[in-house]
Amino acid sequence: MKALPPDMDLATRKLLLQQRSAVLRELLSVQLAQTIEPALSTADRVQAGGQWVKRHPAIVAALAAALLAWRPRGVAKLAGKGWWLWQTWRRLQPVLQPIIQPIVAQWMSTAGSPADPAKGGETKTGS
């Protein structure tokens, strides 16, 4: 971006800087949304899968029994890894929760930022 001329009126200079800041904030939010969209999409799919499993426990149990009959060693190995992962998560969750929760809360509060007039918000132009 070009530098503003030094002889420009202060009010005009302030307005241009505020507009530039609004554009940069919007650009940053779009880039952030594009960056995290694949992760959020994956999280949505995992959540939907978990809901499907809760709604169809008989199918899941039948598949587990069939897999156990077909590959008992593989199931035991997978169960051991799953148990280890569960225990690791349970140990790390109290440590990670205070770190992750404020970040998510801040991101959620800025995700609905009123800087986008198209979404019903207004851009501040005052001081």
Side-chain angles (χ1 to χ4, degrees):
M1 292 188 183
K2 295 181 189 178
L4 297 174
D7 61 341
M8 184 180 288
D9 170 79
L10 276 180
T12 306
R13 184 176 172 90
K14 180 181 177 181
L15 181 63
L16 288 174
L17 287 172
Q18 288 173 335
Q19 289 174 346
R20 182 187 301 176
S21 293
V23 168
L24 289 174
R25 278 192 304 272
E26 184 63 30
L27 179 63
L28 181 63
S29 70
V30 167
Q31 289 174 344
L32 179 64
Q34 289 173 345
T35 302
I36 64 170
E37 193 276 326
L40 293 177
S41 176
T42 301
D44 288 342
R45 288 175 46 199
V46 168
Q47 183 181 21
Q51 290 171 351
W52 184 89
V53 167
K54 284 181 181 179
R55 286 191 314 265
H56 302 91
I59 295 173
V60 174
L63 288 174
L67 188 59
L68 184 59
W70 182 48
R71 290 273 186 143
R73 285 188 187 158
V75 171
K77 195 175 185 180
L78 185 61
K81 288 180 181 180
W83 180 255
W84 176 84
L85 187 61
W86 172 253
Q87 291 298 313
T88 302
W89 170 248
R90 297 234 0 199
R91 288 184 189 120
L92 290 177
Q93 188 178 11
V95 175
L96 295 177
Q97 194 72 24
I99 297 169
I100 295 171
Q101 196 169 14
I103 294 170
V104 171
Q106 182 181 9
W107 179 77
M108 293 301 286
S109 68
T110 58
S113 171
D116 188 2
K119 294 180 183 174
E122 297 177 11
T123 303
K124 288 185 179 178
T125 55
S127 50

